[in-house]
Amino acid sequence: MSRVHARVWRFTIEKGQAGAEAVQAVEIGQGPLPVSLAAMVNINALACDLRKTVDQRVRDYEISLLLSYIVGGQGEGPLGVECSALDSSAGHIQRFVSECTGLGVMTAASEALFDWKPGASELSSFDVLPGKLSGVYAKTGVRLDLLYDLAAGPVAGEARGRRRRVKQMFPAGKGTPEQRKRLEKLAQWSVDHSDHAYFMSCVWLGAGGVYVDIFLQ
């Protein structure tokens, strides 16, 4: 089991006549977050539609590609990033690696923060929702990434991943403008879905390893 550096925020949304207007975030803690590299690879397979033909060769190629850039630490060591290889790759490959890592780290956070249990609790991709959820969620507009089935009710998760090329891996301040803007959109999505529970994670990949900002309601 590897680990990443996690920073956890509690945020509130100020609402006006036009909907969500401002985000206020307060840091509530930092620490190591255990992440299984094998589980991270598994999470990304959720977006494959198993009702259609699944080509195992393609799945193997995708796994190999991800593992070319993200490496597990020894024992409980930090999850590492092959930065020189990532930087020499095409932009769409960099986005693939960042987004895949983001999904895996977000799911590790759900285990630590919400007691989500792999295998015992359902997990769905918003790209391929099961038939029983047909019509429950809007097919257009804002769409999150994963849906966690918890005892207290479903929680939607938004995973974002970015390459970061500065020594200070966590951005300074109380959330970047991009993070605040996205949280405003997620807040409106929540209102449109009867105040649906949600959270957001933002993964940063760099020479310092893998870092994640986790925003909780």
Side-chain angles (χ1 to χ4, degrees):
M1 186 76 75
S2 300
R3 57 180 172 79
V4 303
H5 308 272
R7 183 170 62 169
V8 182
W9 301 83
R10 182 74 66 182
F11 73 91
T12 56
I13 302 286
E14 295 180 9
K15 297 180 181 178
Q17 293 182 348
E21 292 185 345
V23 175
Q24 300 294 332
V26 177
E27 183 182 334
I28 60 175
Q30 290 192 32
L33 173 69
V35 176
S36 165
L37 187 55
M40 188 168 75
V41 168
N42 250 355
I43 294 302
N44 290 283
L46 283 175
C48 296
D49 192 342
L50 299 180
R51 294 165 292 191
K52 300 177 181 178
T53 301
V54 176
D55 191 327
Q56 187 59 45
R57 294 175 304 165
V58 174
R59 184 78 58 83
D60 291 342
Y61 294 151
E62 292 174 347
I63 291 172
S64 296
L65 180 60
L66 178 59
L67 296 183
S68 296
Y69 302 97
I70 304 298
V71 293
Q74 297 295 323
E76 296 183 356
L79 203 62
V81 182
E82 295 287 355
C83 292
S84 59
L86 190 61
D87 290 341
S88 66
S89 300
H92 63 278
I93 299 297
Q94 294 183 33
R95 289 189 291 274
F96 169 81
V97 173
S98 298
E99 290 172 11
C100 286
T101 306
L103 288 172
V105 171
M106 180 177 71
T107 300
S110 76
E111 293 184 59
L113 299 173
F114 305 135
D115 200 29
W116 178 82
K117 302 292 186 184
S121 305
E122 290 188 22
L123 176 62
S124 304
S125 167
F126 274 96
D127 286 337
V128 194
L129 289 172
K132 66 181 181 180
L133 295 178
S134 177
V136 175
Y137 298 97
K139 294 183 179 180
T140 59
V142 173
R143 183 176 60 186
L144 286 80
D145 293 302
L146 297 177
L147 184 66
Y148 300 87
D149 187 13
L150 305 176
V155 175
E158 165 87 350
R160 304 179 78 76
R162 295 289 185 272
R163 171 75 169 94
R164 190 162 168 81
R165 295 176 173 82
V166 296
K167 290 183 178 179
Q168 182 179 333
M169 289 296 293
F170 280 134
K174 297 184 177 181
T176 67
E178 181 186 29
Q179 288 171 335
R180 292 195 296 271
K181 184 176 180 180
R182 187 60 181 175
L183 285 171
E184 290 174 10
K185 291 184 177 180
L186 297 183
Q188 189 58 52
W189 175 91
S190 174
V191 170
D192 293 342
H193 290 83
S194 304
D195 291 328
H196 198 295
Y198 67 99
F199 74 110
M200 183 176 79
S201 70
C202 298
V203 160
W204 310 102
L205 307 180
V210 179
Y211 287 64
V212 60
D213 272 320
I214 303 166
F215 292 88
L216 305 175
Q217 285 179 292

